[in-house]
């Protein structure tokens, strides 16, 4: 068991009126590729941020490889985040003043690794992403799809045990979106990187192996993919339509 | 919801932008107005003997004003750039460009006027405060008590002119605005500008050449070199910030082992961007501080040195007080009885003698009876003629006998005068003889002030008073040097604050995303601290260097030793102030970017 979440809650506002997360229990095995879906405002980002140690839960626990996240002290937290987690956001993933190459290498540079090690890892990651021609460019000179590829590259640069992504395809067109999801599944398949992806795009979600649906901060449903992606896509659509009618009835 | 409501909401949401613009305006007004108040102050006793000195001071002040005007122009421009995105949105919503221009005019006029008024009011207050405070400390009369109408008018004209120019510029900008650019890409990313290496090298050569010329200056070529050296350094400094500094950071990026280590990569690459962004502001600050610091050091040195002492006549006259009454028709004697009262109040025993003088032509020449001369100045040599503005009667010990603004005094045989008195204006000269106390000049001030020469036709002459005027003049320079150093430091500080405050909002979003990328708050703080320190220290060090070069050109050999220590003290003091200010800004900035 890589990630174990027990009875996780996150309340916001005065008297905790907003229950962003309301008793989430889930576990993630090593090598999983999980999609998290749900309507807007259902708590997906909150959940991901708590796993990413960017946010703190109101109650409950999150264990990564048996280690309780909320117990890691502030000083070690960023080092932990850098080495154990890789995070990709919808936007603002890259630093404008750095080249693509420097952006990729950033996690290892911050760890003060020797330059030769950095160069070695760099050539590995670049080969994996297929972005050889972009290396000397700056973030404003590359497309949105390329930006996300680089962001994924940086997220896996330190070989994290868990890769997290919050709507990584939110700003992309279908073609680029599919390419990015393909990259996630390739990384998951070939390198066994455990991945959690938040998305509300059913087609993007169909690349995952499992999907968790949440609504109003609670787990609503969970489905697993068979061999066929098309079939999985239809399955997702079914759950989503249920999800929205259930909401309508309410 | 009407369009008006949208605009109202939008204005409310933009208060921070207005605030920056307001502050920038208020501080520029403050600096310009405070400078002008001194230039136009009629009460400041800047003696005519120091006329070159006064002119130099005014020239420096005018330079400062020009640079401040550049700053206000810059803040106007920044304001417009900030607002452009919203204006683009209004255009999409269907607002006509002409209305947009009107909206922009109303907005900026309101904020600008508010800033102007605040600046003027705060300056008036600050000026009174500084002058009163320092006048107390320095033991001189206060000069602040006048309504600076002229200064207000000139300030108003300057700022109205800038505003008019800016309105024209913004009109053009708004009409040319490419709406798509703002909406498609949101926040415009700053592109990495190409560095012009030859210009960077030229900048370095100009600065170093200027320094070399300043260091090797001699008495003979001092005046020929001033303008070329100032020009070289002023131009070189711009290239220094715009090309040389980014180039240095670019070279640092090439050094892999250093660059690819921890936060170095972050701050070096960031600095390369930001130094370009900061170019104008750093340049303005450096020039303002260089001029201010040089002026302060020079004025302070002169005001406190023996050179200034040499200007003061330190002989005491045989007759410490002389009253010359030029209009013989006025019977009401005012000054003489007041002096008599003062002397008896102070229990000083004195002898008083009155003789007649006969002025001729333009009243710069006078005749005196030989017998009177004998009577007054027993054993006096013949009058020295045509030396200065004063009659210097020297007694046998070559002491000055009396101080009078008469160019020539001729001693004439008694019977000659008796025969021709009708053709001359008769004046009386009353002389008081006593042992003068040290503070005589200060005690005579009220008598001198209350004496209206036009009405009474009386003139009071006293070497003690004269000395006291010199004393006040020197103290006034000291006061002015403090006044300006305060204004300059406040202004330079405010420009930096303005820029940092302006940046912190954008930087905040950036650092927040850094945090999510896995940077620790400690690393972010470190990177930000290095950057703030660099941006802070660069102008400070450059201006200190400039001031040191200017001082070394002015001092050369033969300057009193106190100059060196004074200059060093002032430099250390400046560093001290800057460091304190740096810590203030840094803590505010860090709190803003990492709440
Ligand atoms: N910082 C916050 N303060 C208050 N409420 C918040 C905050 N962040 C999120 N919420 C609330 O928590 C709920 C879940 O938000 P979020 O996790 O962002 O949803 P999702 O990512 O699924 O759209 C929403 O109702 C949102 O309004
Ligand atoms: Mg979200």
């Amino acid at each position: 068991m890589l990630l174990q979440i027990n009875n996780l809650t996150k309340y916001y506002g005065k008297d905790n009126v907003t229950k962003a997360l309301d008793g989430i229990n889930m576990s993630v095995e090593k090598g999983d590729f999980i999609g998290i879906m749900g309507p807007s405002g259902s708590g997906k980002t909150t959940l991901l941020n708590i796993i990413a140690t960017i946010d703190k839960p109101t109650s409950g626990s999150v264990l990564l490889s048996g280690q309780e996240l909320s117990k890691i002290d502030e000083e070690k937290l960023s080092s932990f985040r850098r080495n154990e987690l890789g995070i990709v956001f919808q936007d603002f993933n890259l630093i404008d003043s750095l080249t693509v190459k420097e952006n990729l290498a950033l996690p290892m540079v911050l760890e003060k690794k020797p330059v030769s090690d950095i160069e070695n890892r760099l050539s590995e990651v670049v080969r994996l992403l297929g972005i050889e021609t972009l290396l000397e460019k700056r973030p404003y000179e590359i497309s949105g799809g390329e930006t996300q590829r680089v962001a994924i590259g940086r997220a896996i640069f330190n070989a994290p045990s868990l890769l997290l992504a919050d709507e990584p395809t939110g700003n992309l067109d279908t073609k680029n979106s599919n390419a990015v999801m393909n990259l996630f599944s390739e990384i998951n398949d070939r390198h066994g990187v455990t991945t959690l992806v938040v998305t509300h795009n059913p087609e993007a979600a169909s690349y995952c192996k499992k999907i968790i649906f949440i609504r109003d901060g609670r787990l609503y449903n969970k489905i697993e993919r068979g061999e066929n992606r098309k079939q999985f896509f239809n399955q997702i659509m079914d759950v989503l339509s249920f999800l929205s009618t259930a909401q309508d009835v309410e | 919801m009407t369009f008006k409501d949208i605009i109202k909401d939008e204005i409310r949401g933009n208060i921070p932008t207005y605030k920056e613009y307001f502050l920038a305006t208020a501080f520029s007004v403050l600096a310009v107005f405070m400078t002008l108040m001194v230039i136009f102050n009629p009460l400041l006793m800047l003696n005519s003997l120091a006329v070159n000195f006064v002119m130099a001071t005014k020239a420096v002040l005018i330079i400062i004003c020009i640079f401040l005007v550049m700053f206000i122009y810059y803040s106007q421009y920044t304001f417009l750039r900030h607002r452009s995105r919203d204006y683009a949105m209004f255009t999409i919503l269907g607002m006509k460009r002409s209305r947009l221009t009107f909206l922009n005019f109303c907005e900026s006029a309101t904020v600008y006027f508010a800033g102007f008024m605040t600046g003027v009011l705060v300056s008036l207050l600050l000026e009174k405060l500084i002058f009163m405070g320092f006048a107390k400390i320095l033991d001189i009369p206060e000069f602040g008590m006048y309504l600076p109408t002229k200064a207000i008018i000139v300030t108003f004209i300057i700022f109205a002119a800038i505003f008019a120019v800016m309105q024209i510029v913004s009109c053009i900008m708004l009409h040319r605005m490419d709406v798509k650019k703002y909406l498609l890409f949101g926040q415009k990313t700053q592109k990495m500008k190409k560095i012009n290496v030859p210009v960077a090298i030229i900048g370095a050569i100009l600065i170093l050449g200027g320094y070399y010329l300043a260091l090797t200056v001699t008495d003979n070529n001092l005046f020929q070199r001033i303008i070329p050296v100032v020009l070289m350094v002023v131009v070189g400094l711009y290239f220094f910030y715009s090309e040389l500094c980014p180039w240095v950071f670019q070279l640092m990026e090439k050094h892999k082992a250093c660059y690819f280590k921890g936060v170095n990569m972050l701050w070096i690459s960031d600095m390369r961007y930001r130094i370009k962004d900061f170019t104008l502001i750093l340049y303005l600050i450096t020039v303002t501080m260089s001029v201010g610091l040089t002026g302060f050091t020079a004025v302070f040195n002169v005001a406190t040195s023996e050179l200034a002492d040499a200007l003061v006549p330190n002989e005491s006259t045989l007759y410490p007080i002389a009253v010359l009454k030029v209009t013989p028709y006025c019977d009401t004697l005012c000054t003489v009885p007041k002096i008599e009262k003062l002397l008896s109040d102070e229990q000083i025993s004195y002898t008083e003698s009155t003789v007649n003088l006969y002025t001729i032509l333009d009243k710069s020449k006078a005749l005196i009876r030989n017998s009177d001369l004998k009577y007054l100045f027993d054993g006096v040599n013949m009058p020295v003629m045509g030396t200065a503005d004063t009659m210097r009667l020297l007694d046998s010990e070559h002491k000055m006998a009396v101080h009078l603004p008469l160019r020539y005094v001729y001693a004439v045989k008694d019977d000659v005068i008796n025969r021709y008195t009708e053709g001359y204006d008769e004046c009386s000269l009353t002389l008081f003889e006593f042992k003068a106390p040290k503070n005589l000049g200060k005690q005579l001030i009220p008598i001198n002030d209350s004496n209206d020469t036009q009405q009474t036709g009386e003139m009071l002459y006293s070497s003690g008073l004269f000395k006291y005027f010199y004393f006040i003049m020197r103290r006034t320079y000291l006061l002015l040097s403090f006044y300006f150093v305060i204004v300059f430091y406040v202004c330079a500080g405010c420009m930096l604050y303005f820029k940092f405050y302006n940046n912190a909002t954008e930087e905040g979003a950036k650092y927040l995303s850094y945090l999510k990328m896995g940077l620790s708050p400690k690393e972010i703080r470190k990177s930000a601290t290095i950057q703030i320190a660099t941006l802070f220290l660069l102008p400070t060090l450059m201006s200190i260097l400039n001031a040191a070069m200017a001082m070394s050109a002015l001092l050369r050999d033969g300057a009193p030793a106190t100059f060196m220590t004074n200059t060093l003290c002032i430099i250390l003091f400046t560093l001290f102030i800057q460091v304190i200010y740096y810590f203030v800004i840094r803590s505010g900035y860090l709190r803003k970017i990492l709440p």
Side-chain angles (χ1 to χ4, degrees):
Chain A
M1 196 73 59
L2 181 70
L3 182 72
Q4 178 73 47
I5 295 174
N6 297 319
N7 211 10
L8 188 69
T9 63
K10 175 75 184 179
Y11 299 153
Y12 282 116
K14 222 168 56 182
D15 305 326
N16 299 330
V17 279
T18 315
K19 296 184 173 174
L21 292 178
D22 193 13
I24 299 266
N25 287 296
M26 64 182 270
S27 55
V28 177
E29 301 280 350
K30 211 166 164 27
D32 263 350
F33 181 18
I34 299 180
I36 300 173
M37 294 190 81
S40 159
S42 56
K44 308 180 295 287
T45 298
T46 310
L47 176 62
L48 205 79
N49 282 350
I50 289 175
I51 299 173
T53 68
I54 293 168
D55 214 343
K56 292 248 177 291
T58 307
S59 69
S61 64
V62 181
L63 297 132
L64 185 72
S65 325
Q67 187 178 18
E68 163 87 62
L69 295 191
S70 58
K71 296 240 167 76
I72 304 173
D73 69 67
E74 205 63 45
E75 285 301 307
K76 293 198 185 113
L77 206 55
S78 33
S79 159
F80 169 83
R81 206 181 294 154
R82 224 143 52 198
N83 291 307
E84 301 296 322
L85 303 171
I87 312 172
V88 179
F89 301 97
Q90 185 171 345
D91 38 30
F92 298 119
N93 276 305
L94 303 182
I95 296 178
D96 272 338
S97 56
L98 300 178
T99 61
V100 164
K101 183 173 146 189
E102 290 160 357
N103 262 298
L104 280 173
L106 186 65
M108 256 175 127
V109 170
L110 288 173
E111 290 295 309
K112 300 190 178 157
K113 296 274 165 58
V115 176
S116 56
D117 288 13
I118 297 176
E119 300 277 3
N120 288 341
R121 178 65 181 158
L122 203 57
S123 55
E124 273 173 42
V125 172
V126 167
R127 216 177 311 122
L128 176 69
L129 302 177
I131 51 168
E132 288 86 350
T133 54
L134 303 180
L135 285 183
E136 294 306 327
K137 292 198 173 164
R138 298 196 183 261
Y140 52 79
E141 295 170 322
I142 63 178
S143 74
E146 288 165 339
T147 304
Q148 292 307 67
R149 292 181 89 78
V150 177
I152 294 167
R154 198 206 39 230
I156 60 166
F157 206 82
N158 268 354
S161 41
L162 187 59
L163 178 59
L164 302 168
D166 189 0
E167 312 250 14
T169 62
N171 279 343
L172 303 180
D173 57 32
T174 319
K175 190 167 154 263
N176 273 311
S177 163
N178 286 342
V180 164
M181 290 312 291
N182 242 328
L183 182 60
F184 274 116
S185 70
E186 207 180 298
I187 288 167
N188 174 256
D189 271 351
R190 278 213 246 140
H191 302 269
V193 178
T194 317
T195 309
L196 279 178
V197 178
V198 167
T199 177
H200 59 234
N201 176 353
E203 191 175 352
S206 67
Y207 285 85
C208 303
K209 285 183 190 161
K210 284 181 197 163
I211 295 189
I212 291 168
F213 295 88
I214 58 176
R215 215 192 80 202
D216 300 333
R218 290 165 205 257
L219 279 194
Y220 175 78
N221 202 342
K222 193 172 155 184
I223 55 174
E224 271 185 56
R225 175 176 153 181
E227 277 309 297
N228 192 330
R229 192 164 70 83
K230 188 88 196 102
Q231 210 176 339
F232 193 46
F233 175 74
N234 291 333
Q235 225 178 325
I236 295 167
M237 290 306 277
D238 285 347
V239 180
L240 284 181
S241 63
F242 254 111
L243 203 66
S244 59
T245 36
Q247 213 164 20
D248 287 343
V249 170
E250 245 179 275
Chain B
M1 192 186 242
T2 61
F3 202 66
K4 262 202 182 116
D5 293 328
I6 295 181
I7 289 176
K8 261 190 215 151
D9 267 3
E10 205 271 336
I11 286 176
R12 218 167 292 139
N14 263 300
I15 285 176
T17 313
Y18 296 132
K19 211 162 83 183
E20 281 164 32
Y21 180 42
F22 168 79
L23 282 177
T25 312
F27 277 115
S28 321
V29 171
L30 182 118
V32 171
F33 184 52
M34 288 191 82
T35 306
L36 290 176
M37 266 198 289
V38 167
I39 292 183
F40 290 126
N41 194 330
L43 305 177
L44 272 180
M45 264 185 288
L46 301 176
N47 195 295
S48 59
L49 281 177
V51 112
N52 288 335
F53 207 42
V54 176
M55 291 220 314
T57 317
K58 286 186 178 175
V60 164
L61 299 183
I62 287 163
I63 293 172
I64 293 291
C65 276
I66 293 171
F67 277 89
L68 285 167
V69 164
M70 277 169 77
F71 173 66
I72 186 102
Y73 182 89
Y74 171 76
S75 69
Q76 272 260 15
Y77 182 81
T78 315
F79 174 70
L80 192 67
R81 221 185 48 196
H82 269 227
R83 301 285 293 130
S84 291
R85 241 147 62 86
D86 298 319
Y87 290 157
M89 189 191 73
F90 288 154
T91 320
I92 301 285
L93 289 175
M95 196 187 233
K96 279 205 201 101
R97 298 242 168 164
S98 55
R99 249 189 99 190
L100 203 59
T101 312
F102 180 69
L103 176 71
N104 172 257
F105 174 80
C106 292
E107 277 186 9
S108 42
T110 314
V111 180
Y112 196 77
F113 189 70
F116 180 84
M117 289 312 289
T118 315
V120 167
L121 289 179
V122 172
S123 326
L124 281 173
L125 222 90
L126 198 63
E127 192 241 15
K128 296 266 129 56
L129 224 79
I130 296 177
F131 269 55
M132 266 158 57
F134 277 104
K136 270 253 146 48
I137 295 169
L138 297 175
D139 190 26
I140 51 176
E142 289 162 14
F143 311 107
M145 300 302 151
Y146 86 113
L147 192 69
T149 338
K150 229 177 183 176
I152 290 182
I153 293 171
V154 174
T155 313
F156 185 79
I157 291 173
I158 292 178
F159 281 83
I162 302 172
F163 187 72
V165 171
M166 266 326 286
Q167 279 316 112
I168 295 169
V169 171
S170 43
C171 245
I172 297 170
M173 265 173 82
L174 285 176
H175 277 269
R176 287 210 189 135
M177 182 170 66
D178 183 3
V179 175
K180 279 191 309 247
K181 197 172 74 191
Y182 289 97
L183 293 183
L184 288 181
F185 301 109
Q187 190 95 28
K188 221 170 61 184
T189 359
Q190 208 189 347
K191 293 224 165 108
M192 187 69 87
K193 290 186 195 111
K194 268 247 163 353
I195 292 164
N196 194 334
V197 177
V199 173
I201 293 170
I202 290 173
I205 291 172
L206 280 176
I207 294 181
L208 292 177
Y211 287 169
Y212 176 77
L213 288 181
L215 285 175
T216 56
V217 83
T218 59
D219 287 337
N220 297 330
N221 58 19
L222 176 64
F223 283 99
Q224 292 137 32
R225 282 198 182 176
I226 285 181
I227 290 177
V229 166
V230 168
L231 272 181
M232 280 168 85
V233 175
V234 164
V235 173
L237 266 179
Y238 191 82
F239 294 155
F240 173 80
Y241 286 121
S242 74
E243 307 296 337
L244 189 61
C245 289
W247 189 38
V248 169
F249 288 117
Q250 195 183 38
L251 291 180
M252 282 165 90
E253 284 179 12
K254 297 257 159 65
H255 193 273
K256 282 266 170 348
C258 157
Y259 185 56
F260 277 81
K261 188 134 239 136
V263 288
N264 287 358
M265 189 159 96
L266 278 183
W267 74 259
I268 293 175
S269 68
D270 225 18
M271 277 308 292
R272 197 176 129 194
Y273 259 112
R274 291 181 82 190
I275 199 100
K276 279 251 173 194
D277 185 28
F278 269 71
T279 295
L280 188 61
I281 209 87
L282 291 182
Y283 176 63
L284 290 180
I285 290 170
T286 310
V287 174
T288 313
M289 283 206 2
S290 304
V291 177
L293 196 57
T294 309
F296 175 58
T297 318
V299 173
F300 186 84
N301 274 333
V302 171
T304 55
S305 77
E306 300 124 41
L307 286 186
D309 287 336
L311 290 174
V312 182
N314 53 11
E315 321 105 291
S316 50
T317 45
L318 190 62
Y319 292 97
I321 301 176
V323 179
L324 182 67
K325 191 167 167 54
V326 285
T327 325
Y329 320 109
C330 179
D331 283 330
T332 46
L333 285 171
C334 297
T335 310
V336 171
K338 275 184 201 155
I339 292 169
E340 287 165 355
K341 185 171 182 302
L342 174 77
L343 291 177
S344 50
D345 281 354
E346 295 291 315
Q347 293 174 336
I348 296 169
S349 58
Y350 63 94
T351 57
E352 185 184 332
S353 348
T354 301
V355 295
N356 281 342
L357 283 180
Y358 302 90
T359 55
I360 45 175
L361 298 172
D362 55 353
K363 293 192 176 170
S364 68
K365 299 183 180 75
L367 305 181
I368 188 168
R369 280 193 185 87
N370 237 341
S371 60
D372 284 344
L373 191 65
K374 283 256 159 52
Y375 162 66
L376 286 177
F377 308 110
D378 197 18
V380 150
N381 297 339
M382 279 305 288
V384 178
M385 297 198 295
T387 46
D389 301 330
T390 51
M391 174 173 108
R392 289 162 157 258
L393 290 169
L394 303 176
D395 66 11
S396 48
E397 282 151 19
H398 294 274
K399 270 184 133 185
M400 204 191 301
V402 72
H403 227 123
L404 286 179
L406 296 168
R407 200 170 288 271
Y408 302 106
V409 177
Y410 301 98
V412 182
K413 279 185 187 146
D414 292 15
D415 55 330
V416 175
I417 292 210
N418 291 341
R419 232 180 295 155
Y420 294 106
T421 40
E422 262 128 74
Y424 310 128
D425 285 335
E426 193 180 313
C427 334
S428 64
L429 177 66
T430 308
L431 296 167
F432 293 86
E433 189 183 3
F434 57 93
K435 195 173 175 300
K438 268 221 159 61
N439 60 348
L440 178 69
K442 198 178 173 189
Q443 286 173 327
L444 283 175
I445 285 283
I447 296 177
N448 189 53
D449 283 352
S450 66
N451 171 33
D452 183 354
T453 309
Q454 291 290 324
Q455 271 195 359
T456 61
E458 286 178 333
M459 281 176 272
L460 174 66
Y461 299 104
S462 160
S463 57
L465 197 61
F466 199 53
K467 257 191 245 177
Y468 187 62
F469 283 153
Y470 267 98
F471 166 81
I472 290 180
M473 193 179 84
R474 284 175 53 193
R475 286 288 169 98
T476 304
Y477 273 111
L478 206 58
L479 182 145
L480 280 187
S481 67
F482 283 120
Y483 178 84
F484 282 113
V485 92
I486 289 173
V487 174
F488 291 146
Y489 281 15
V490 165
C491 281
C494 286
M495 286 187 201
L496 261 184
Y497 183 80
F498 169 76
K499 186 65 190 169
F500 274 113
Y501 187 90
N502 205 324
N503 256 49
T505 331
E506 291 162 29
E507 294 286 299
K510 190 176 85 185
Y511 285 121
L512 206 65
S513 64
Y514 283 14
L515 211 55
K516 286 183 175 177
M517 282 176 212
L519 272 106
S520 69
K522 210 167 130 194
E523 282 160 343
I524 291 179
R525 236 171 265 137
K526 189 174 162 193
S527 165
T529 301
I530 295 175
Q531 293 186 39
I532 303 172
T534 314
L535 292 173
F536 232 92
L537 279 180
L538 261 181
T540 309
L541 291 183
M542 286 313 285
S543 52
I544 285 178
L545 200 61
N546 288 340
M549 291 296 159
M551 283 323 289
S552 88
L554 294 177
L555 298 184
R556 294 190 310 278
D557 347 304
T562 51
F563 277 30
M564 201 59 201
T565 37
N566 278 345
T567 309
L568 268 178
C569 284
I570 291 171
I571 286 175
L572 286 179
F573 178 72
T574 307
L575 267 178
F576 175 72
I577 296 273
Q578 283 301 101
V579 166
I580 289 185
Y581 191 55
Y582 157 75
F583 279 111
V584 172
I585 290 251
R586 192 191 73 137
S587 77
Y589 186 75
L590 289 183
R591 221 174 307 127
K592 196 145 191 222
I593 58 166
L594 279 182

